[in-house]
Amino acid sequence: MKRDPRVLLVLALVAVVGMAFRVSWNALRDVARAIGADTTAATLYPFVVDGLMALALVAALVLTGRARQFALNVLAAYTAASLVLNYVHGLVPALHDRTVDWMRLAEWDPANYALVLLATSLPVGSIYFGSDLVAKVLHHRPAPPDPAPHGDRADAPAQHPHTPDTVEIDRDPVLAQEAEHSLVREALPQLTAYADGERADDPHTPHAVPAHPAPPDVHAVSEDVFEDAELERMRQDARRTYAESAQAARPLSARALGEAFGMSESWGRKQILAARQDERPVLAAVPAAGTG
């Protein structure tokens, strides 16, 4: 039976931390006795210091942003404090006695005062920082995942324009209509680009007129002309879109065509009729043989 490497890594970390705590526990207990703690308080003192380090480590794994940085700062501060007290324990042989009682931690008065202040402030800091870290973890809300662009699912396969649907013929009409509208929305950018490319070669298609500075009194007329040109372009694009869908054996309905261009169903029906009229061949009169 194979085990997850991450589980083995966590178990190894717990074992190392447990052994390191046992080594540090001896030094911190003796330091607590040296600053006047009784037997019970000296026994619990290592849990106060190293226990908060474990709490800060777990909080750093859960929190994010500035809260995570705060947890890492607490972890670093208490790690440094534990290191200093362990170092002092190694320098002062008198602390190794089993009957150690209140005593100085250093011969130099400023150093002794600083070490006593450090050792006595750690329990109070554990209460403050531990409560703050627990509150931050309880109020932490994970950030929601970023949505896929344009509201589409990232794991959904892309559908090519005019691809025949694989659903049965007798499918639900509502679903069929939604699929048709989706097909129009996906195919519209490509069809519009194709229509723009072909418009330059079509002599019957109105071309855009370059803008020239106009006097202030003709601005209203220029805006009307521009709106008419845009409407005409929209009509041409709609007719080409319908023609493309008809050539692909998937003719669009009037409602779908109108919604694709933000217009009504009647507008779409007019464009479909116009497109069909454009597709009809023009019949020319042929003179009878032998006349003239």
Side-chain angles (χ1 to χ4, degrees):
M1 179 179 180
K2 295 183 178 180
R3 294 182 177 271
D4 191 349
R6 293 175 296 181
V7 176
L8 298 178
L9 181 62
V10 172
L11 293 178
L13 175 63
V14 171
V16 172
V17 170
M19 292 183 289
F21 172 76
R22 176 61 185 88
V23 176
S24 177
W25 179 82
N26 189 44
L28 294 178
R29 180 198 59 184
D30 294 342
V31 171
R33 288 180 179 178
I35 61 176
D38 57 15
T39 303
T40 303
T43 303
L44 296 177
Y45 187 82
F47 294 96
V48 173
V49 180
D50 294 343
L52 183 66
M53 292 168 54
L55 177 62
L57 177 60
V58 174
L61 297 176
V62 176
L63 299 174
T64 58
R66 298 180 60 183
R68 181 175 181 271
Q69 186 61 43
F70 173 77
L72 292 176
N73 292 338
V74 173
L75 176 61
Y78 268 71
T79 300
S82 179
L83 175 61
V84 170
L85 296 181
N86 278 269
Y87 178 70
V88 171
H89 182 266
L91 289 179
V92 182
L95 293 176
H96 306 166
D97 190 359
R98 293 182 177 273
T99 60
V100 63
D101 200 352
W102 183 86
M103 60 174 295
R104 295 175 63 90
L105 296 178
E107 293 296 335
W108 189 39
D109 287 340
N112 181 66
Y113 297 152
L115 292 175
V116 172
L117 176 62
L118 175 64
T120 54
S121 62
L122 290 180
V124 180
S126 296
I127 297 174
Y128 174 77
F129 293 118
S131 302
D132 194 10
L133 289 174
V134 171
K136 291 181 183 298
V137 171
L138 294 179
H139 289 83
H140 176 67
R141 294 293 182 271
D146 296 334
H150 307 293
D152 298 333
R153 292 182 54 186
D155 56 349
Q159 184 177 4
H160 298 284
H162 310 308
T163 301
D165 204 343
T166 57
V167 186
E168 297 180 359
I169 300 303
D170 54 346
R171 58 185 177 178
D172 190 356
V174 177
L175 297 178
Q177 187 175 12
E178 292 179 358
E180 185 178 6
H181 293 172
S182 176
L183 179 62
V184 173
R185 288 192 295 269
E186 293 175 359
L188 181 58
Q190 298 181 8
L191 295 176
T192 304
Y194 174 78
D196 291 339
E198 294 293 336
R199 183 174 292 108
D201 299 332
D202 191 356
H204 302 288
T205 303
H207 297 273
V209 179
H212 297 283
D217 55 348
V218 298
H219 280 330
V221 179
S222 300
E223 292 179 358
D224 294 340
V225 173
F226 177 77
E227 291 179 358
D228 293 340
E230 286 297 320
L231 292 176
E232 180 62 25
R233 178 178 179 179
M234 184 185 300
R235 287 191 289 267
Q236 295 293 335
D237 291 342
R239 296 170 188 176
R240 285 185 172 81
T241 301
Y242 175 78
E244 291 288 335
S245 64
Q247 292 177 2
R250 293 291 301 275
L252 301 175
S253 63
R255 181 178 180 182
L257 185 62
E259 291 182 355
F261 288 87
M263 305 299 287
S264 62
E265 180 178 358
S266 60
W267 183 88
R269 186 178 298 107
K270 292 179 181 179
Q271 307 314 314
I272 292 175
L273 294 177
R276 292 176 179 175
Q277 290 290 339
D278 295 340
E279 293 177 356
R280 292 181 179 178
V282 179
L283 300 178
V286 179
T291 59

